[in-house]
Amino acid sequence: MSEYSLESFVAKRRQNDAEHDYFELETPQLLEINLNNQFVWAKNGSMVGYVGNIKFEREGMLSGGIGNFLKKSLTGEGAKLMKAKGTGRLYVADGGKKVQILQLNNESICVNGNDILAHDQTVNNQITMLKSVAGMMSGGIFQVKLSGTGHVAITTHGDPLVLMVTPDKPVFTDPNATVAWSGNLSPELKSNMSFKSFIGRGSGEEYQMKFSGEGWVLIQPYEEVYFQQS
């Protein structure tokens, strides 16, 4: 059989039926979720295929009150999740970004709302905001706190890097390159006015996130700008 024959291509790329993990990477950019009469939350529009009997319901990240306000006014489509319920194999992806699978064990993390791909039904989500958001001109001003026990899948542009935060060494990051951080940290949003004056008002570098305390921050080698929808 030729290395480049159609048969060879299919054999190399076909689904591996021997793998049945709940959350499983089929490729670095493609997540497989094996459902057994249960449901998961997945990012709206992330479904690229499924096998079995799975139904989808579109819902907001939160329902009612401030959750609806945040969803409509700030987060755009990036904050919306759909419920996937049933039995079968669900395949989700997001713009070719790399997928990172995390297992929470009675723990919490904060994730940029646009970078959540999916999470287990046993994991709670709560939209939170930075204390100072008035000056933010681009998206990415909100985050979602995920807490509990279960699987979480987040996405990054390229290979991410974890920066450790210690009491004597705070970490500063670009909001548009910041993906996630440990749930015990409470970042501040700071404005660098001198930098703003030097390069003009349009740049995102005039804003920085400051992480103090004890924990970690996940950054990606890409500044992702989010567009709000009217």
Side-chain angles (χ1 to χ4, degrees), residues 15 17 32-35 47-54 56 86-91:
Q15 160 69 42
D17 292 327
E32 174 190 298
I33 303 174
N34 287 284
L35 294 173
M47 188 276 289
V48 295
Y50 70 92
V51 178
N53 184 19
I54 301 175
F56 302 90
T87 298
R89 290 181 169 180
L90 170 64
Y91 301 93

Side-chain angles (χ1 to χ4, degrees), residues 133-195:
V133 297
M136 258 323 249
M137 298 175 64
S138 64
I141 62 177
F142 74 101
Q143 62 266 348
V144 180
K145 188 169 187 177
L146 300 173
S147 57
T149 297
H151 290 75
V152 172
I154 63 177
T155 56
T156 63
H157 286 277
D159 294 321
L161 175 68
V162 171
L163 301 177
M164 302 307 297
V165 181
T166 59
D168 59 328
K169 290 185 179 180
V171 170
F172 299 85
T173 65
D174 183 324
N176 292 333
T178 307
V179 177
W181 55 93
S182 48
N184 61 298
L185 296 180
S186 297
E188 303 174 58
L189 188 65
K190 304 178 71 67
S191 176
N192 188 333
M193 298 304 293
S194 60
F195 200 80

Side-chain angles (χ1 to χ4, degrees), residues 5 17 24 47 69 75 98 112 126-127 135-136 154 189:
S5 68
D17 292 327
E24 181 179 300
M47 188 276 289
F69 170 76
T75 63
K98 285 194 171 183
N112 185 307
Q126 179 184 11
I127 291 180
M136 258 323 249
I154 63 177
L189 188 65

Side-chain angles (χ1 to χ4, degrees), residues 41-156:
W41 293 103
K43 185 175 183 178
N44 261 3
S46 64
M47 188 276 289
V48 295
Y50 70 92
V51 178
N53 184 19
I54 301 175
K55 295 183 178 180
F56 302 90
E57 301 175 16
R58 289 194 174 190
E59 299 189 22
M61 181 71 75
L62 297 174
S63 58
I66 191 171
N68 268 347
F69 170 76
L70 290 175
K71 179 183 66 177
K72 179 181 293 185
S73 303
L74 301 175
T75 63
E77 288 297 321
K80 293 182 181 178
L81 297 178
M82 62 181 178
K83 181 188 291 185
K85 183 177 182 179
T87 298
R89 290 181 169 180
L90 170 64
Y91 301 93
V92 292
D94 185 14
K97 295 165 67 176
K98 285 194 171 183
V99 181
Q100 318 291 332
I101 300 176
L102 309 173
Q103 171 71 53
L104 300 185
N105 183 20
N106 196 26
E107 299 166 296
S108 65
I109 61 170
C110 289
V111 185
N112 185 307
N114 195 61
D115 297 323
I116 297 176
L117 180 61
H119 71 76
D120 200 341
Q121 66 184 67
T122 58
V123 173
N124 297 317
N125 62 55
Q126 179 184 11
I127 291 180
T128 60
M129 293 184 64
L130 299 179
K131 294 179 180 179
S132 302
V133 297
M136 258 323 249
M137 298 175 64
S138 64
I141 62 177
F142 74 101
Q143 62 266 348
V144 180
K145 188 169 187 177
L146 300 173
S147 57
T149 297
H151 290 75
V152 172
I154 63 177
T155 56
T156 63

